[in-house]
């Protein structure tokens, strides 16, 4: 996944309530593993709360941002945060964790074969009674819509980076089980001609019906599902698909 970390972080700032949700679900736990920990947005507050956190991240720029944030933490907190370069589809940490978390749709970065390998690795890294907790978006509506190619990019957001104004457009290409989302950033620096930068993120999505089967194939069982971080149930209106799973 190639993207400019600065542009990515301006746009992708999490889902309202997600950090507090993961903090609550990890409260009082000694060991937490976050897969695809990005810039440490979720891992750092959990380490602040007292857990020992291992964060695994493949993107060198995101890992560097997380490590820079860790360096600014009080030494006792920083000592609880172990940030490692690695692939969440292929890892062996030689330890088990009470919580394995995969926040903010990171699981959709993996194609089905790699996602299966990731789930097998997660099962190997959970303590008995441990929990896998992740959130994605429910793919049901997209799956029903069928294939499409939005040729005209659509404006989605305007963000600022100091005195630089950035208009963001999105172009989606959908095939069953996969959506390629291209973000086009139109960047206006004072006194300069606007420039454009783009990157594409691919999401290998799941429907709510598929998800329990995909977990079961790796020896994991769905224990709880929510439709948003405010605790609402998973129904047709749900914006998020939040899953708590255990072994067996
Ligand atoms: C949507 S971001 C979520 C970041 C962080 N969990 C958060 O909530 O802010 C997904 C992250 O997963 C990372 N990622 C994608 N594929 C990965 C892989 N195979 N192994 C490890 N990290 C991966 C990306 O680089 C990115 O930082």
């Amino acid at each position: 996944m190639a993207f400019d970390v600065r542009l990515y972080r301006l746009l992708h700032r999490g889902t309202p309530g997600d950090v507090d949700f993961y903090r609550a679900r990890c409260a009082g736990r000694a060991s937490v593993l976050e897969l695809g920990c990005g810039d440490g947005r979720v891992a750092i507050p959990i380490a602040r709360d007292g857990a020992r956190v291992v964060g695994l991240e493949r993107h060198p720029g995101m890992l560097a941002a997380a490590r820079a944030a860790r360096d600014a933490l009080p030494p006792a907190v920083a000592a609880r945060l172990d940030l490692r370069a690695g692939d969440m589809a292929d890892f062996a940490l030689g330890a088990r964790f009470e919580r394995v978390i995969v926040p903010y749709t990171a699981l959709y970065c993996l194609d089905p074969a790699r996602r299966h390998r990731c789930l097998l690795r997660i099962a190997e890294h959970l303590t008995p009674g441990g929990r896998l907790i992740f959130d994605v978006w429910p793919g049901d509506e997209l799956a029903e819509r069928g294939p499409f190619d939005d040729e005209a990019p659509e404006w989605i957001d305007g963000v600022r980076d100091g005195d630089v104004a950035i208009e963001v457009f999105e172009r989606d290409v959908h095939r069953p089980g996969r959506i390629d989302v291209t973000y086009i950033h139109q960047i206006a620096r004072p006194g300069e001609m606007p420039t454009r930068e783009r990157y594409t993120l691919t999401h290998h999505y799941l429907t709510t019906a598929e998800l329990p089967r995909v977990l079961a194939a790796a020896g994991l069982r769905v224990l709880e599902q929510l439709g948003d971080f405010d605790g609402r149930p998973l129904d047709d209106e749900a914006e998020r698909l939040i899953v708590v799973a255990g072994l067996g």
Side-chain angles (χ1 to χ4, degrees):
M1 194 164 44
F3 52 79
D4 178 291
V5 169
R6 184 181 54 87
L7 289 178
Y8 176 88
R9 292 174 77 198
L10 283 171
L11 191 63
H12 301 276
R13 289 173 299 216
T15 309
D18 63 351
V19 174
D20 284 344
F21 172 85
Y22 283 102
R23 286 179 62 201
R25 295 303 178 117
C26 295
R29 302 294 152 185
S31 58
V32 177
L33 169 63
E34 182 180 355
L35 300 177
C37 68
D39 60 9
R41 190 181 66 86
V42 181
I44 289 172
I46 294 173
R48 275 189 192 280
D49 288 343
R52 192 170 47 77
V53 183
V54 175
L56 201 68
E57 172 57 49
R58 192 178 62 165
H59 192 294
M62 294 297 273
L63 187 62
R67 286 179 170 161
R70 181 186 57 187
D71 290 347
L73 293 171
V77 179
R80 288 197 291 272
L81 188 54
D82 180 359
L83 297 166
R84 301 193 193 183
D87 181 355
M88 64 174 151
D90 182 16
F91 61 94
L93 301 176
R96 288 181 182 265
F97 298 82
E98 290 174 75
R99 297 286 179 267
V100 177
I101 62 171
V102 197
Y104 202 28
T105 324
L107 203 57
Y108 280 2
C109 295
L110 303 175
D111 67 32
R114 284 167 50 72
R115 182 178 62 220
H116 179 61
R117 294 217 304 273
C118 174
L119 292 169
L120 289 171
R121 297 293 84 78
I122 289 172
E124 290 166 4
H125 284 78
L126 276 176
T127 57
R131 296 286 181 261
L132 161 65
I133 310 173
F134 63 93
D135 68 281
V136 292
W137 43 268
D140 304 51
E141 210 179 298
L142 196 57
E144 276 166 28
R145 227 180 119 184
F148 62 83
D149 183 341
D150 279 346
E151 282 180 21
E154 197 177 304
W155 181 89
I156 56 161
D157 207 353
V159 292
R160 290 199 74 85
D161 185 13
D163 58 0
V164 180
I166 304 170
E167 300 298 326
V168 189
F169 300 81
E170 178 180 325
R171 175 176 179 244
D172 298 336
V173 178
H174 174 238
R175 302 288 175 263
R178 167 183 176 145
I179 184 161
D180 296 311
V181 182
T182 299
Y183 295 97
I184 301 151
H185 295 246
Q186 191 168 289
I187 305 166
R189 296 184 178 82
E192 290 181 24
M193 291 290 284
T195 57
R196 282 190 165 206
E197 283 188 39
R198 64 174 64 210
Y199 59 87
T200 301
L201 301 183
T202 296
H203 282 182
H204 302 274
Y205 68 85
L206 290 167
T207 63
T208 50
E210 287 169 328
L211 195 128
R213 292 199 292 270
V214 164
L215 291 181
L220 293 160
R221 188 161 59 90
V222 174
L223 300 172
E224 196 183 342
Q225 285 178 298
L226 296 168
D228 211 338
F229 291 105
D230 60 10
R232 85 182 56 177
L234 180 65
D235 57 23
D236 293 349
E237 309 287 301
E239 299 272 321
R240 298 302 293 169
L241 171 51
I242 303 165
V243 179
V244 179
L247 292 170

